[in-house]
Amino acid sequence: KYEVTSEGSDNCVKVIGRETDPSTAIEITIPATVTNSEITYQVTEIDNGAFSNKGYITKVTLPANCKSIGESAFIGCILLSDINLNHVETIGALAFTGCFKLPSVDLSSCTSIGAEAFRNCSNMQETVTIPESCTSIGDWAFSKCINITELVISEGCEENGKNAFLECDKLAKVTFPESLKSIGSGAFFN
């Protein structure tokens, strides 16, 4: 399901959910465009809560023009193990909280990571790289991502939120940029 966000020279819609819930695990492909009443719209964002607690989703393919993931968009999608985020610029609060099977994410285009965005993604592994385009990491953003071993915060990031990497107990190496101005309380606790 979609909702129009702008019309005229830049016809855009956001995904607001699915019509029905399937009884088995599925992969979802979001198209780059949708047409309604002979008007073609670009799909530019996933709305707040669009797929929250949809435990049947295993993979999501997003179009390159989808630049924003809303708050709680995929929270509780416990089977989600693959999503392409390499072109996404903003990730809202709680967007992927509790996506236990999500092994890694490409944040290379990200400008903002909301509070608790990847909290309790316990299967996220190895290196997490925060790109230079991202100026802040939200509070609790990667807390309880217990399998992260390395964190690279690129030059340009200015703020690491409180409890951002709390209980990432395998985190053994962290690279900080000179641009970093603040590290929130409890950022690397335990």
Side-chain angles (χ1 to χ4, degrees):
K1 298 189 294 188
Y2 304 91
E3 182 177 294
V4 174
T5 57
S6 67
E7 292 189 89
S9 61
D10 62 338
N11 294 327
C12 297
V13 294
K14 61 184 175 182
V15 177
I16 60 170
R18 287 183 48 87
E19 289 285 333
T20 59
D21 290 334
S23 58
T24 60
I26 63 167
E27 296 180 2
I28 294 176
T29 299
I30 306 295
T33 60
V34 293
T35 303
N36 185 33
S37 300
E38 298 182 20
I39 300 174
T40 300
Y41 297 89
Q42 286 193 61
V43 179
T44 59
E45 63 185 287
I46 307 297
D47 196 19
N48 298 339
F51 298 102
S52 65
N53 297 308
K54 303 299 183 191
Y56 54 78
I57 299 173
T58 59
K59 179 179 179 179
V60 178
T61 303
L62 299 171
N65 48 299
C66 185
K67 302 295 184 188
S68 177
I69 305 291
E71 293 182 8
S72 303
F74 295 96
I75 188 174
C77 289
I78 59 174
L79 296 180
L80 181 62
S81 61
D82 189 6
I83 187 166
N84 60 317
L85 298 174
N86 59 330
H87 52 275
V88 173
E89 295 173 359
T90 61
I91 298 173
L94 301 162
F96 295 95
T97 294
C99 292
F100 305 118
K101 292 191 177 248
L102 195 61
S104 64
V105 288
D106 179 349
L107 301 171
S108 57
S109 295
C110 196
T111 59
S112 135
I113 301 170
E116 302 183 62
F118 295 98
R119 184 178 184 172
N120 212 9
C121 290
S122 54
N123 197 42
M124 194 172 294
Q125 298 175 16
E126 300 177 7
T127 303
V128 169
T129 301
I130 307 300
E132 60 185 51
S133 57
C134 187
T135 58
S136 67
I137 303 166
D139 297 346
W140 303 86
F142 292 89
S143 64
K144 297 188 179 187
C145 291
I146 59 174
N147 286 306
I148 294 174
T149 57
E150 182 177 1
L151 169 64
V152 177
I153 303 175
S154 301
E155 193 64 44
C157 187
E158 297 179 356
E159 180 181 355
N160 185 29
K162 68 180 181 183
N163 300 313
F165 295 90
L166 174 129
E167 296 185 12
C168 293
D169 56 356
K170 291 184 183 172
L171 185 58
K173 182 178 180 184
V174 180
T175 304
F176 294 109
E178 288 185 27
S179 60
L180 195 63
K181 295 177 181 172
S182 69
I183 297 174
S185 63
F188 296 96
F189 180 76
N190 203 17

